[in-house]
Amino acid sequence: MEQVKSMPRIGEPAPQFEAVTTHGTLRLEDYKGSWLILFSHPADFTPVCTTEFIAFQGIYDELKKRNVELLGLSIDSVYSHIAWVRNIEEKMGVKIKFPVIADLNKEVASLYGMIMPGESKTETSRAVFVIDPEQKIRAIIYYPLTTGRNIDEILRLIDALQTHEKFKVATPANWRPGDDVIVPPPNTQEMAEQRMKEKYDIKDWYFSKKKI
Ligand code: BEZ
């Protein structure tokens, strides 16, 4: 029986790796000081993955403005990756600017728990790991093989994480940059009384919003 490795979790250090990519050998530590979106796709030359690559490239410039790098991964060879990104450029007019890991021996995929053996033993699922500049995992998303991800949501997630980082606030459901944010709830009775006197948009003592 295949051994099940424990998967990294939010708040834990991202597992270190060195990998062959379409931009040469890269290590996780090369990304220290930047945010990183490490994502896997099931296989090269497949339609849903192609739409995702085009969509990831579509947010590439916005991510750069936010100090975020993209790094793809699948269990395909570097030659397959090169041929596929060349095909995307030739047939669909989109140049893929981010590197893609050729994880033929499944080393990185196993470290990050990107393979869901119940779904496929030979392909990585659609996993997304958001890694912060100190190389801590800050968010994880998994989608199955047959569902393309909402790539705009990944950009929204980055904005929410960076807003939390900068202003020490939380963000409500469907929050978008410019919307009001959630003020952390008071955690003593006295602070709860004080909260009711603040100039926030107060729904109740535990639920206040403010502009940033
Ligand atoms: C796709 O990208 O089209 C795909 C990949 C694996 C399974 C199903 C769809």
Side-chain angles (χ1 to χ4, degrees):
M1 199 160 115
E2 206 170 319
Q3 210 187 331
V4 178
K5 291 204 175 106
S6 71
M7 288 151 65
R9 299 177 205 205
I10 291 174
E12 292 179 355
Q16 293 293 324
F17 60 79
E18 178 178 292
V20 172
T21 84
T22 47
H23 293 197
T25 299
L26 289 172
R27 295 163 200 83
L28 179 65
E29 66 185 8
D30 297 335
Y31 291 96
K32 250 187 200 154
S34 304
W35 290 78
L36 174 66
I37 296 172
L38 171 65
F39 72 96
S40 56
H41 67 276
D44 297 348
F45 291 102
T46 52
V48 178
C49 298
T50 302
T51 63
E52 288 191 331
F53 259 49
I54 291 169
F56 271 118
Q57 185 55 47
I59 62 167
Y60 179 87
D61 289 341
E62 286 303 315
L63 291 174
K64 280 274 177 195
K65 286 185 205 163
R66 293 159 173 77
N67 188 31
V68 185
E69 301 291 333
L70 273 171
L71 178 57
L73 176 149
S74 77
I75 306 167
D76 291 288
S77 73
V78 79
Y79 304 109
S80 169
H81 285 338
I82 292 167
W84 184 39
V85 297
R86 284 174 64 88
N87 178 266
I88 292 173
E89 184 169 7
E90 188 189 323
K91 303 286 181 191
M92 277 142 289
V94 176
K95 187 173 180 69
I96 301 300
K97 295 186 184 158
F98 53 86
V100 188
I101 295 174
D103 198 29
L104 275 178
N105 57 13
K106 304 183 187 172
E107 216 169 275
V108 182
S110 301
L111 270 178
Y112 280 79
M114 291 167 165
I115 300 168
M116 302 280 155
E119 193 181 34
S120 173
K121 291 186 175 63
T122 55
E123 296 157 303
T124 37
S125 65
R126 301 185 192 279
V128 179
F129 288 83
V130 180
I131 299 170
D132 74 14
E134 281 79 48
Q135 311 223 293
K136 194 189 272 187
I137 295 177
R138 298 295 293 272
I140 304 173
I141 302 171
Y142 280 100
Y143 266 47
L145 298 178
T146 51
T147 308
R149 287 160 281 201
N150 183 334
I151 307 300
D152 289 339
E153 167 59 10
I154 296 169
L155 185 59
R156 194 194 74 94
L157 172 60
I158 291 287
D159 283 332
L161 286 167
Q162 292 187 344
T163 296
H164 165 72
E165 210 56 22
K166 192 166 171 194
F167 298 101
K168 301 297 169 221
V169 292
T171 48
N174 299 325
W175 174 86
R176 293 250 154 220
D179 291 353
D180 290 356
V181 296
I182 305 277
V183 189
N187 48 21
T188 65
Q189 208 171 339
E190 192 184 341
M191 286 164 76
E193 276 161 31
Q194 181 56 34
R195 174 60 54 88
M196 296 307 286
K197 297 175 198 152
E198 302 283 355
K199 286 198 167 62
Y200 300 137
D201 170 12
I202 297 173
K203 312 291 179 200
D204 204 343
W205 64 270
Y206 68 94
F207 181 6
S208 307
K209 287 182 173 182
K210 70 171 185 181
K211 301 201 182 306
I212 50 168

